């Protein structure tokens, strides 16, 4: 088992690569979307719904604040990343070596992409990710832009700078719906104000705000229609279907809603599973990776997390101070190497006082830790490091 694990580590490369893995998503686009939402809302308050009842303005303010808050949550929360393993699975190492003695070898085979997959006894098919070194569950997929495998992967949204998966799909839906409601409120408010002015009568064109209101209404209606796919994502949660299921050759079920694996009770379970998913800030992934490294190291029975680490690196990763070894007296400037009087083939390290005062057989033995005898190698002498 130890030999297989060492081969797995060689196949996985330096475990520091897994520890240094970070989120690759950018905040540039989310900041732009936040600025766009704020600007559109300001135009609505200043022009679009100006003078309308207070409840209309409070409704718009609520939808704007909700959309901004959930935009931050979608961008900053962990979408459902699966913690990668620092080393390759020993079973996969043996599979790559075409080892036929693996237990239940018939469970494993390669798919058309060359990925290893295994079929469990309950019929579930799991695929092995060569980047994260994990067997990922059905409907999980590796996102090359974020750098992790995502549970119940839907799609990677460049606009929000993050993946949409199991743990943040609900936030994504609330963001879209709240922004769409805000656009609908502003569009209805502008239409009401145009009616008050007298549009589309001829005298309404003489009003200074008519053209501005018409332009704003075109923008609000366009954004309202553009955000209409937020309702589509509502139905995707209700029917337990992802964008990847619909657009690609996903490993998800092909059953229609309310049938088979998407029966009423299974749909209810999926709603709870998605809407009550755990919440983690995505930048805590480094802590979870370190915990996984310690877990793997403990199973391997090592004192240090992984081979190749120095003492200081191991102590830093384990949280315990490094035990420093005492300095070698032979390398100290207060000692001098000299031939042993009884055995010239050996050299001893002693203090200058003993060298000046002379020493015999008893003196060398009395030095104890002061002298370390080492073999003479001709013109060069060497002293081993102190234990």
């Amino acid at each position: 088992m130890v030999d297989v694990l060492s081969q797995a580590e060689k196949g996985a490369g330096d475990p520091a690569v897994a520890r240094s893995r970070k989120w690759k998503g950018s905040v540039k686009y989310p900041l732009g979307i936040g600025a766009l939402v704020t600007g559109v809302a300001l135009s609505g308050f200043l022009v679009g719904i100006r003078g309308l009842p207070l409840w209309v303005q409070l409704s718009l303010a609520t939808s704007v604040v909700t959309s901004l808050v959930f935009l931050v949550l979608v961008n900053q929360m962990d979408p459902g990343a699966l913690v990668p393993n620092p080393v390759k699975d020993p079973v996969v190492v043996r599979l790559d070596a075409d080892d036929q003695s693996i237990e239940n070898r018939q469970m494993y085979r390669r798919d058309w992409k060359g990925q290893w997959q295994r079929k469990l006894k309950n019929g579930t098919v799991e695929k092995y990710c060569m980047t994260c070194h994990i067997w990922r569950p059905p409907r999980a997929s590796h996102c090359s832009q974020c750098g992790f495998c995502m549970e119940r992967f839907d799609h990677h949204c460049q606009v929000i700078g993050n993946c949409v998966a199991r743990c943040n799909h609900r936030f994504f839906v609330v963001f879209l719906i709240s922004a769409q409601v805000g656009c609908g409120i502003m569009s209805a408010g502008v239409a009401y104000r145009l009616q008050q002015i007298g549009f589309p009568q001829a005298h309404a064109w003489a009003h200074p705000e008519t053209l501005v209101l018409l332009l704003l209404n075109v923008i609000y209606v366009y954004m309202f229609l553009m955000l209409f796919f937020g309702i589509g994502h509502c139905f995707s949660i209700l029917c337990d279907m992802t964008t990847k299921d619909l657009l690609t050759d996903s490993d998800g079920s092909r059953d229609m809603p309310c049938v088979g694996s998407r029966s009423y009770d299974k749909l209810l379970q999926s709603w709870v599973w998605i809407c009550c998913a755990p919440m983690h800030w995505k930048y805590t992934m480094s802590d979870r990776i370190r915990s996984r490294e310690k877990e793997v190291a403990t199973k391997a029975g090592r004192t240090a997390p992984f081979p190749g680490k120095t003492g200081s690196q191991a102590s830093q990763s384990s949280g315990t101070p490094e035990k420093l070894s005492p300095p070698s007296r032979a390398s100290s400037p207060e000692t001098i190497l000299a031939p042993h009087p009884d055995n010239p083939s050996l050299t001893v390290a002693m203090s200058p006082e003993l060298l000046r005062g002379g020493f015999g057989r008893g003196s060398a033995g009395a030095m104890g830790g002061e002298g370390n005898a080492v073999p003479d190698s001709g013109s060069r002498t060497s002293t081993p490091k102190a234990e």
Side-chain angles (χ1 to χ4, degrees):
M1 178 63 185
V2 176
D3 295 338
V4 173
L5 189 58
S6 62
Q7 294 176 17
E9 289 161 0
K10 292 178 182 179
D14 189 358
V17 175
R19 290 194 303 275
S20 62
R21 186 181 299 176
K22 297 180 181 179
W23 293 92
K24 302 175 184 177
S26 172
V27 297
K28 177 176 63 174
Y29 290 104
L31 287 176
I33 292 297
L36 176 63
V37 171
T38 304
V40 172
L42 286 176
S43 70
F45 283 115
L46 296 176
V47 181
I49 63 173
R50 188 183 65 193
L52 295 186
L54 181 61
W55 66 269
V56 177
Q57 303 193 31
L58 288 178
S59 300
L60 177 59
T62 302
S63 65
V64 171
V65 172
T66 303
S67 62
L68 290 176
V69 169
F70 279 88
L71 174 62
V72 173
L73 289 177
V74 171
N75 177 259
Q76 293 297 313
M77 298 302 293
D78 182 356
L82 300 172
V83 182
N85 278 327
V87 296
K88 192 184 246 185
D89 191 331
V91 175
V92 176
V93 175
R94 297 173 63 185
L95 288 171
D96 290 339
D98 198 17
D99 187 352
Q100 299 297 325
S101 63
I102 301 175
E103 185 179 2
N104 297 322
R105 177 64 177 81
Q106 68 278 4
M107 293 172 46
Y108 302 92
R109 66 181 183 87
R110 291 185 185 269
D111 62 3
W112 64 276
K113 295 180 181 178
Q115 287 181 302
W116 284 109
Q117 60 182 19
R118 62 183 181 187
K119 188 174 183 179
L120 305 182
K121 293 181 179 180
N122 59 1
T124 302
V125 177
E126 295 180 338
K127 293 184 179 180
Y128 186 77
C129 178
M130 297 300 294
T131 303
C132 296
H133 305 300
I134 59 174
W135 291 97
R136 57 180 182 235
R139 306 177 77 185
S141 181
H142 184 85
C143 177
S144 59
Q145 298 187 59
C146 289
F148 296 95
C149 286
M150 301 296 174
E151 192 174 18
R152 194 188 175 274
F153 178 81
D154 189 90
H155 70 285
H156 181 89
C157 183
Q158 192 69 30
V159 175
I160 64 171
N162 202 359
C163 275
V164 177
R166 176 202 170 192
C167 295
N168 70 344
H169 201 170
R170 59 193 189 272
F171 302 144
F172 183 68
V173 170
V174 175
F175 161 68
L176 293 176
I177 296 298
S178 59
Q180 188 176 24
V181 169
C183 292
I185 292 174
M186 289 185 291
S187 179
V190 169
Y192 179 76
R193 286 204 62 198
L194 286 172
Q195 185 180 13
Q196 285 183 325
I197 293 174
F199 188 84
Q201 308 249 338
H203 65 85
W205 293 99
H207 197 281
E209 290 187 348
T210 300
L211 290 177
V212 177
L213 290 174
L214 285 174
L215 177 61
L216 288 177
N217 205 27
V218 170
I219 296 175
Y220 298 155
V221 170
Y222 171 76
M223 297 185 68
F224 177 82
L225 296 176
M226 186 177 63
L227 293 171
F228 206 81
F229 68 93
I231 298 177
H233 276 278
C234 278
F235 280 104
S236 72
I237 292 180
L238 291 176
C239 300
D240 190 24
M241 288 185 176
T242 64
T243 303
K244 190 171 186 293
D245 293 338
L246 297 173
L247 300 181
T248 64
D249 185 18
S250 171
D251 50 8
S253 173
R254 296 294 188 274
D255 292 335
M256 296 299 293
C258 306
V259 178
S261 63
R262 290 191 172 97
S263 59
Y264 291 106
D265 56 337
K266 296 293 182 62
L267 287 179
L268 181 59
Q269 294 175 9
S270 70
W271 298 342
V272 176
W273 187 62
I274 296 171
C275 297
C276 300
M279 296 174 58
H280 302 285
W281 296 109
K282 64 182 182 180
Y283 296 108
T284 61
M285 176 57 77
S286 57
D287 297 331
R288 283 178 278 166
I289 291 177
R290 283 193 290 268
S291 299
R292 178 61 59 86
E293 285 186 355
K294 292 179 182 179
E295 179 184 347
V296 173
T298 302
K299 289 181 180 179
R302 300 191 181 99
T303 56
F306 291 97
K309 282 190 175 183
T310 61
S312 60
Q313 291 173 333
S315 62
Q316 290 174 4
S317 61
S318 61
T320 57
E322 178 188 3
K323 184 176 179 182
L324 299 176
S325 59
S328 174
R329 297 302 301 266
S331 60
S332 171
E334 298 178 357
T335 60
I336 299 176
L337 293 177
H340 195 282
D342 298 329
N343 190 355
S345 63
L346 297 177
T347 59
V348 293
M350 66 193 69
S351 62
E353 290 78 7
L354 287 175
L355 185 63
R356 287 193 297 267
F359 61 93
R361 182 184 303 270
S363 301
M367 285 186 292
E370 293 291 326
N372 298 318
V374 295
D376 192 0
S377 57
S379 61
R380 296 179 60 187
T381 59
S382 61
T383 303
K385 295 183 179 178
E387 295 294 327

